[in-house]
Amino acid sequence: MIWDNPPQMEPHALKVSVYGQMVESGAAFARQFDADDSVLDMIDKKILHRGRNRVVPGAWCSGRRSWWMDPCSQWGDVNVLKPGPQAKKLEESVSALLDDWNSQTNQCQTSSE
């Protein structure tokens, strides 16, 4: 989120001009966006690898990939989950947050001797 200084009631709407900052931040979530803003198309294309009017590809896509066919036009088991590169980034971010939280928690503990 990008806020005014001092913060107002709502954050600024995220635009194409801050796309680079969003990607570099490593944040798993972002808000807020204007409806139908072109930055949403950039996220779909560059991060989610989702084609126009298509689903986000995943391990459930069982069709052949070719220039004329969408591999997600045929579905296999929708319960199959195979982490991609963005999931690995999310895992690293969450692990770093937990490590930081655990180290702070350990500093506050007193010995019971």
Side-chain angles (χ1 to χ4, degrees):
M1 292 184 277
I2 297 177
W3 295 90
D4 285 320
N5 191 6
Q8 302 298 314
M9 292 297 289
E10 292 289 329
H12 289 267
L14 299 172
K15 305 277 186 193
V16 172
S17 60
V18 295
Y19 174 80
Q21 286 177 271
M22 287 190 287
V23 173
E24 289 299 316
S25 75
F29 304 97
R31 72 171 276 237
Q32 88 192 24
F33 299 95
D34 290 332
D36 297 323
D37 193 283
S38 60
V39 72
L40 296 172
D41 294 330
M42 288 179 73
I43 292 168
D44 279 345
K45 183 178 180 180
K46 295 181 179 187
I47 296 175
L48 299 176
H49 306 292
R50 182 176 84 87
R52 193 166 204 64
N53 299 319
R54 294 187 175 178
V55 298
V56 174
W60 55 84
C61 299
S62 61
R64 290 185 137 186
R65 179 179 298 276
S66 66
W67 64 272
W68 71 86
M69 185 174 170
D70 176 10
C72 292
S73 62
Q74 295 176 337
W75 287 25
D77 186 353
V78 296
N79 295 312
V80 171
L81 183 63
K82 187 169 138 187
Q86 298 302 323
K88 305 249 186 239
K89 281 178 125 176
L90 176 60
E91 178 186 23
E92 290 168 7
S93 296
V94 171
S95 291
L97 287 170
L98 288 173
D99 289 345
D100 186 46
W101 183 76
N102 285 334
S103 68
Q104 289 178 8
T105 302
N106 290 338
Q107 291 174 357
C108 296
Q109 292 178 351
T110 59
S111 65
S112 57
E113 295 175 25

